[in-house]
Amino acid sequence: METENQTYVLQFILLGLSEDIGVQPLLFGLFLSMYLVTFIGNMLIIMAIISDSHLYTPMYFFLSNLSFTDICFTSTIVPKLLQNIQRSIKIITFENCLTQMYFFLLFGHLDNSFLTVMAYDRFVAICYHLYYRVIMKTRFCGLLLLTSWLLNVLFSLIECLMVLRLSFCTELEMPHFFCELNQMIRLACSDTFLNDLVMYFIVGLLDVIPFTGILYSYYKIISSILRISTTEGKYKAFSTCASHLSIVTLFYGTGLGVYLSSATTKNSRANTIASVMYTVVTSMLNPIIYSLKNKDIKGTLKKLRNIIYIKRYFQVYTSAQSSNTRRS
C-alpha cells in the first residue's frame, strides 16, 4: 500500500456522529446546549468557591480545579465539532489534529488526577479527621496540584510526540468527531508496536493506578463509616463524599462502558456515539451533581443569585430615579 510520511499529511477527515444532513441542525443545537450548560455550570462552581471564604478548604480547592479542567476539556472538542457541523466541513489539518489530541489527553488525565486527589482528601477527612488540618496543609495541596499538572503535561506530550514517528496511509478518514489517539494510531501504516506500548503504559500510570487509589480510599472510607455507632453520624460522614462518589461513578462508569463497547463491537459509529458520554455529558453533569448534593455549594449559589437580584434592583431603581430627575 502506498504510504506517505506525516510531513506531507495535510489533513484528516472526521466522519463525525452522523452523515445525515437532516440530523445536523439537531446535533448542532444539542451540543451547543450541552456546551453552554457545561461552561456556565462549572464557572458558577468556580465563582461560588472564590466568593465564599467558608469554602477555602482543600476539597473545594481541588473541586474548583476540576471545574476548570472540565471547561477546558469540553472546549477542546465541542467548538471544533460545532464548526464542522455548521460549515459541513469535516477536514482537520495534521497540526490541528495533533494539538487537539494533546489538550484532550492533558485535560482527560488531569480529571483522573483531581478525582484521585479529592478521594485522598475525603479519605484523610473521614479516616484521620483529627489530623486532617495537619496533613492537608496549603503547601501540601499546592504540591499535589503542581505534581498533577507536571506529570500530565509531560506524559501527554510524550504520547503526542510518539505520533510524529508514524507514517500514514492514503486513507485518512477517522470514524470519530475529534482526534483521538487510538484512532490516529489505527490509521498508521508503519509499525505501531512502540506507540501501543507507550499508550498502554501511560494509561496504566495515569488512569489505572489512580482509579485503584480511589477504590482503596473508598474501601477505607466505607469501613470507617460502618464503625460509627449512630445513624446520624454515618449519614453525616457519608454526605461529605456523596457528590465526589457520584462523579467518580459517572466518570469511570462511562469510560469503562466506552472501552467495553469498543472491545465487543466493531461498529465504529456506535463507539463514537458512546464516546459522547465521557467527553461531554460527564463534564456537563459534574456541576449539576455538586449543586444538588452539596449543601455548601448550594447555599453559596443562592447567595450569588440574591446578590445579582439586588444589583439588578438597584440598577433599575437608579435608572428610574435618574429619569424622574431629568423630567422634573
Side-chain angles (χ1 to χ4, degrees):
M1 182 179 292
E2 182 182 355
T3 64
E4 52 183 12
N5 190 271
Q6 71 272 10
T7 305
Y8 305 101
V9 176
L10 298 177
Q11 55 195 19
F12 292 92
I13 300 175
L14 298 175
L15 298 181
L17 294 167
S18 175
E19 296 180 0
D20 188 355
I21 299 176
V23 180
Q24 301 306 311
L26 177 62
L27 290 176
F28 183 86
L30 178 64
F31 277 93
L32 178 61
S33 301
M34 289 193 294
Y35 179 67
L36 290 176
V37 171
T38 302
F39 187 88
I40 295 172
N42 283 288
M43 280 300 299
L44 286 174
I45 295 291
I46 295 172
M47 290 172 59
I49 294 172
I50 293 174
S51 63
D52 193 345
S53 60
H54 294 94
L55 301 182
Y56 290 178
T57 62
M59 181 177 70
Y60 294 113
F61 170 72
F62 293 119
L63 175 59
S64 63
N65 281 275
L66 179 67
S67 295
F68 173 75
T69 303
D70 283 336
I71 291 174
C72 296
F73 186 66
T74 52
S75 298
T76 302
I77 301 170
V78 179
K80 179 60 179 176
L81 173 63
L82 294 176
Q83 184 186 43
N84 292 348
I85 293 175
Q86 186 182 28
R87 298 182 180 180
S88 300
I89 299 175
K90 300 181 178 181
I91 295 173
I92 184 170
T93 63
F94 178 78
E95 293 79 8
N96 290 339
C97 191
L98 202 63
T99 302
Q100 185 187 58
M101 186 175 66
Y102 170 74
F103 286 108
F104 171 78
L105 292 170
L106 171 61
F107 294 118
H109 290 320
L110 276 172
D111 264 355
N112 284 313
S113 298
F114 291 146
L115 288 174
T116 306
V117 172
M118 292 170 71
Y120 176 74
D121 172 78
R122 293 299 84 203
F123 162 72
V124 175
I126 293 176
C127 299
Y128 300 96
H129 58 279
L130 295 178
Y131 304 98
Y132 179 73
R133 293 189 177 183
V134 177
I135 297 174
M136 300 302 293
K137 292 181 178 179
T138 303
R139 182 177 297 180
F140 181 64
C141 293
L143 181 62
L144 289 175
L145 178 66
L146 180 62
T147 303
S148 298
W149 273 97
L150 289 177
L151 285 177
N152 289 293
V153 166
L154 175 62
F155 285 108
S156 298
L157 183 61
I158 291 174
E159 287 182 289
C160 290
L161 291 177
M162 289 296 295
V163 176
L164 296 176
R165 61 179 293 273
L166 299 176
S167 298
F168 293 95
C169 305
T170 54
E171 181 65 41
L172 296 176
E173 290 187 349
M174 191 178 296
H176 223 301
F177 59 94
F178 67 96
C179 292
E180 199 259 342
L181 177 61
N182 191 41
Q183 292 290 339
M184 184 173 281
I185 292 176
R186 289 181 182 179
L187 292 176
C189 290
S190 56
D191 182 33
T192 61
F193 174 77
L194 187 58
N195 293 76
D196 290 331
L197 185 65
V198 172
M199 180 178 66
Y200 288 124
F201 171 76
I202 293 178
V203 167
L205 181 66
L206 300 183
D207 296 336
V208 177
I209 292 178
F211 180 62
T212 305
I214 292 174
L215 291 179
Y216 176 77
S217 296
Y218 273 102
Y219 165 74
K220 300 296 289 185
I221 287 171
I222 292 172
S223 299
S224 297
I225 291 176
L226 292 177
R227 288 197 294 267
I228 299 175
S229 58
T230 63
T231 305
E232 183 181 355
K234 290 180 180 179
Y235 175 79
K236 186 177 180 180
F238 182 76
S239 63
T240 61
C241 56
S243 300
H244 178 260
L245 183 60
S246 300
I247 291 176
V248 167
T249 304
L250 180 66
F251 183 83
Y252 285 101
T254 53
L256 183 61
V258 171
Y259 174 78
L260 292 177
S261 66
S262 62
T264 55
T265 179
K266 295 183 179 180
N267 189 343
S268 59
R269 185 71 65 183
N271 296 336
T272 302
I273 295 174
S275 298
V276 175
M277 288 298 296
Y278 80 90
T279 55
V280 182
V281 176
T282 303
S283 298
M284 180 186 68
L285 293 179
N286 284 356
I288 297 175
I289 291 173
Y290 263 95
S291 61
L292 291 177
K293 289 182 172 291
N294 191 286
K295 294 181 180 180
D296 295 331
I297 294 291
K298 189 188 299 185
T300 304
L301 289 175
K302 287 181 179 179
K303 291 178 183 178
L304 286 175
R305 184 190 62 184
N306 294 335
I307 291 172
I308 292 171
Y309 285 160
I310 292 172
K311 286 184 177 180
R312 285 182 179 178
Y313 171 79
F314 276 109
Q315 287 176 354
V316 173
Y317 178 79
T318 304
S319 61
Q321 288 291 102
S322 300
S323 60
N324 291 333
T325 303
R326 291 174 183 175
R327 289 177 183 176
S328 60

